[in-house]
Amino acid sequence: MKILAINGSHRGKKGCTQLLLDKLGEGVHAAGADFETVILAEKRINSCLACDFCGKPETMGHCVYEEQDDVKAIFDQMRAADLVIYASPVYVFGLTGRMKTFLDRFNSTGTGEGLCLTQSGLIFHPVDKRVTGKPLVILTLCANLEQETVKNTLSYFTTFARYVDAPVVGTLVRKMSMLLEQKGSPLVQEVLAAYVEAGKELALQGRIRPDTERKANQPLLKIPFLDFLMKFRAFRRRAVEQANRDRLREGKNEELR
């Protein structure tokens, strides 16, 4: 089993996205499989020009930038992988511009003219499924605790998967990601351990078990019935007020130090 992760974070190795990918990789390696991460922040990726060079009969499937940036090499890594993890933090309610610029280049992986019907029954054009059709894991994270924040990113990759017939074998959503910095927190340790377990399951079973997903996606705030309480505006108002008080208190403590 070869698993390839695509890190779309603007922070590259320094962000929480890479922290979570490292934990997945730890589990993959423990299970005896291969794990590799492509950090898009370290790559040269030109924007698609919509020039149709890749759609002409004599240059079908080849990009005008093919020898000028790193995208072709990444596509080759994807062809060699058995499973791909798409990891992107949320920026302005969607995946990062860096990740989207990379995904736009999938336009050059068309394999022929005309239309076809996908396994899910959607009308599309032929694509190189050795690149786009691998089983995939969606990993997204944000600082907010609202499910609405990650909705667009999850919807994007779900739709993408249906059009290219790529089975979604795991969905990892890490809200309030800044709390991952609290390494001494038992909840944080439980979440990180779930990521390690998820990596093992991907290597051995090709998918993440629902129970492991629940542990990995659990809130980092130990508030009983949090999902239920979030339905009420009064609770949200209190949460905002408390968060602002905590931030003010932390600022004053910092001044004292």
Side-chain angles (χ1 to χ4, degrees), residues 17-79:
T17 305
Q18 188 61 40
L19 168 66
L20 297 179
L21 288 177
D22 286 343
K23 289 298 175 181
L24 286 171
E26 186 179 324
V28 171
H29 286 141
D34 293 333
F35 186 88
E36 189 174 5
T37 304
V38 172
I39 301 174
L40 297 183
E42 298 178 355
K43 303 296 182 180
R44 182 179 179 185
I45 301 172
N46 292 314
S47 299
C48 175
L49 296 174
C51 64
D52 201 35
F53 181 85
C54 59
K56 297 175 181 177
E58 64 274 15
T59 52
M60 183 73 65
H62 295 277
C63 180
V64 68
Y65 286 130
E66 200 165 86
E67 305 301 329
Q68 300 179 35
D69 65 9
D70 298 316
V71 172
K72 182 178 181 295
I74 299 172
F75 285 173
D76 288 341
Q77 288 176 275
M78 296 177 75
R79 289 187 181 95

Side-chain angles (χ1 to χ4, degrees), residues 117-132:
L117 203 63
T118 69
Q119 292 174 12
S120 55
L122 296 170
I123 297 173
F124 199 40
H125 57 79
V127 295
D128 185 351
K129 292 185 180 179
R130 297 174 304 160
V131 177
T132 58

Side-chain angles (χ1 to χ4, degrees), residues 80-133:
D82 299 299
L83 188 152
V84 176
I85 301 169
Y86 293 94
S88 174
V90 172
Y91 272 71
V92 196
F93 314 112
L95 62 165
T96 65
R98 195 179 300 273
M99 176 67 87
K100 186 60 171 64
T101 297
F102 170 70
L103 294 174
D104 282 351
R105 294 286 295 278
F106 281 166
N107 192 52
S108 67
T109 65
T111 57
E113 298 180 278
L115 298 173
C116 65
L117 203 63
T118 69
Q119 292 174 12
S120 55
L122 296 170
I123 297 173
F124 199 40
H125 57 79
V127 295
D128 185 351
K129 292 185 180 179
R130 297 174 304 160
V131 177
T132 58

